Amino acid sequence: MSDSVEGQWDHEVDLLVIGSGAGAMTTGIVGHDRGARVLLIEKGDHYGGSSAMSGGSLWVPNNHWMEGTGIDDSRADALAYLQEITAGEVAAEKLEAYVDHASETVKYLAERAGLRMYSMPAYSDYYPRAAGSKPGGRSLDPETFDARTLGDDLLSMVEQNPQMLVMNRVFMTIPQSRTMLTRAPGWVGLIVKLVSRYVLDLPWRFKSSRDRFLAMGNSLVGMLRQAMLDREIPLWLDSGAREFIVEDGRVVGVVADKGGQPVRIRAVKGVVLAAGGFEGNQAMREKYLPQPSRVEWSCANKNNTGDIIEMARDLGAGLEFMDDGWWGPVTVVEGEKNARMLVIEKSLPGSIMVNQAGQRFVNEAAPYVDVVNAQYANHTDAVPCVPCYLVFDARFRKNYPVGPLLPGAQQPDLMIRRLLRDGYLKRSNTIEGLAKEIGVDAEGLAESVRRNNEFAATGKDLDFGRGDTVFDRYYGDEKVEPNPCLAPISDAPFYAMEAYPGELGTKGGIRTNASAQVMKDSGTVIEGLYAIGNCSSPVMGRTYAGAGATLGPATTFGYIAARHAISDG
Ligand SMILES: Cc1cc2nc3c(=O)[nH]c(=O)nc-3n(C[C@H](O)[C@H](O)[C@H](O)COP(=O)(O)OP(=O)(O)OC[C@H]3O[C@@H](n4cnc5c(N)ncnc54)[C@H](O)[C@@H]3O)c2cc1C
């Protein structure tokens, strides 16, 4: 931290936004529209952060795109739901601020900034049994965005996580991915259509391997980036903030390293921190998160190293939920930059997850945060659960994708010999043999498989209730009866793959109030300073309301912060 020296500024704006994810861009757009001179600064040489890598969905209760889906929503239902699932750990004013402004934010962006999304009526809230939950509609998926309007600027956007692309290259929307991954009717034609559009994008095909028909996180960020370009809002890359400048207790600017040179930026109305979590910082992971925890297990942007969280703490800001993450079980593929989350394969019928005793420990189809919470809760020195193992059989392997593997029908074992040889994927003709391969208790595994097979026949998982809720079944195989999430593990060979407690980003961060202002532990506000997204304390507390529960708040509190900083008064 340094004090300002009159006349020593290199640059002056009204609103300075640190970071360039979807929340940061929303802040910039809203601030600009309210007449502010805005600047976004980004530490990396690409913009978009984890937001660009993500599914791009936003969880927005009572949103205008729900009209016509037949699902009724209300402020009261949304609040009841959030109150129940956050279990008293999040201030009521903050929950209310979210419910009151989330739909307003997406409506504003739709009407003023070209955001196009649609409601997913079949994508249930993650806790369908909680009061006020909805069977779908609150999760919004970005429509595809034709990024030809961005020109070469697209090449400066962080690339989509390959796990969300067809053949690691071609974009698909969330419902399209579900069609392909569960091999629902029309899936082959859909692949042909998407791949043809990619191949025929000439002459761009000779310039870059990146698909320009964006979906998911790239589409969300692409639309917001377009709105920034239309407004000529500046974005500096290679410009990490490293120090706050404070005057009489108020944050009045920052020192940033712009291409290696220190630049003092004055922010007349406010500084908004939107710099992501600390997923890329091993020391902070060891300090704050449950153990063990590794950077390599994160699916998120590794430039998010928590430096802003530590800077704010040094300024006296409170920190909350630092031991939590947007968890999900992951597989780590050698040579890939990020871990891949096991979202669909853990719900599809004919797989189980087991600890080293060969025992199941969770409803695998439960929300991904719950799976990792259970993994840590069951991890002991005597019976490790980190890693745990995803176990499946030949039928499962043939029909469904698993991590980086395409279904065996398209990519038979002959084509993945290296992964088998390197031990990434273990295989055996017997369950006992497989147990030996992965070092888990053979009797325990045989018993877990036997019980799974019994549950598959009756359609009722008596141990963990897998497939009991509409959320569980979203990624089940609707062709499988009586329970789309349960099938026998009976066809040799049998397979297993390690699964680690990973995340889509860390959750805990700087304490904020309902206006996104940074607060000290004492409850007083640090004037001039706001925080949103994963560097701030989550409005979701320890839970995950539904698909989009991280980006929904990041954009909404960006909207709130910009309006508060650039108030009409
Ligand atoms: C594969 C994947 C799928 C996901 N799917 C979804 C989904 O569908 N819906 C959902 O809600 N969430 C999803 N998430 C999670 C979501 O992407 C993140 O929680 C969200 O993007 C966090 O937003 P943010 O603005 O906090 O951080 P980011 O979007 O990561 O932006 C932070 C930016 O700040 C920059 N930065 C860091 N430090 C500094 C500094 N000192 N100075 C300047 N810049 C700095 C970083 O480089 C980065 O660009 C997904 C994540 C992943 C990885």
Side-chain angles (χ1 to χ4, degrees), residues 42-43 49-51 54-57 241 275 299 303-304 307 534 548 550-551:
E42 163 57 50
K43 180 166 74 172
S50 296
S51 306
S54 77
S57 56
C299 304
N303 267 338
N304 297 349
D307 32 346
N534 289 352
T550 90
L551 285 165

Side-chain angles (χ1 to χ4, degrees), residues 368-417:
Y368 19 92
V369 273
D370 295 353
V371 173
V372 167
N373 279 326
Q375 190 174 6
Y376 275 125
N378 283 278
H379 180 66
T380 61
D381 287 344
V383 185
C385 200
V386 178
C388 65
Y389 299 88
L390 181 76
V391 173
F392 48 96
D393 71 354
R395 185 202 61 86
F396 189 94
R397 162 88 185 97
K398 179 174 166 226
N399 290 325
Y400 308 125
V402 188
L405 313 176
L406 295 175
Q410 283 116 55
Q411 192 183 33
D413 283 3
L414 268 178
M415 292 166 72
I416 55 160
R417 273 179 299 197

Side-chain angles (χ1 to χ4, degrees), residues 55-71:
S57 56
L58 307 179
W59 188 81
V60 180
N62 213 7
N63 68 74
H64 68 281
W65 280 295
M66 281 172 93
E67 285 162 23
T69 60
I71 299 167

Side-chain angles (χ1 to χ4, degrees), residues 178-201:
R178 186 182 173 217
T179 300
M180 283 183 248
L181 297 175
T182 61
R183 311 212 306 168
W187 70 279
V188 176
L190 182 59
I191 293 184
V192 172
K193 185 175 124 198
L194 296 178
V195 173
S196 309
R197 190 183 59 186
Y198 171 81
V199 172
L200 295 173
D201 182 17

Side-chain angles (χ1 to χ4, degrees), residues 241-268:
R242 70 160 153 82
E243 205 179 323
F244 292 122
I245 304 174
V246 179
E247 213 171 71
D248 300 329
R250 180 188 170 90
V251 172
V252 293
V254 305
V255 181
D257 277 323
K258 186 169 193 253
Q261 294 300 314
V263 179
R264 293 168 65 86
I265 308 167
R266 182 173 189 208
V268 177

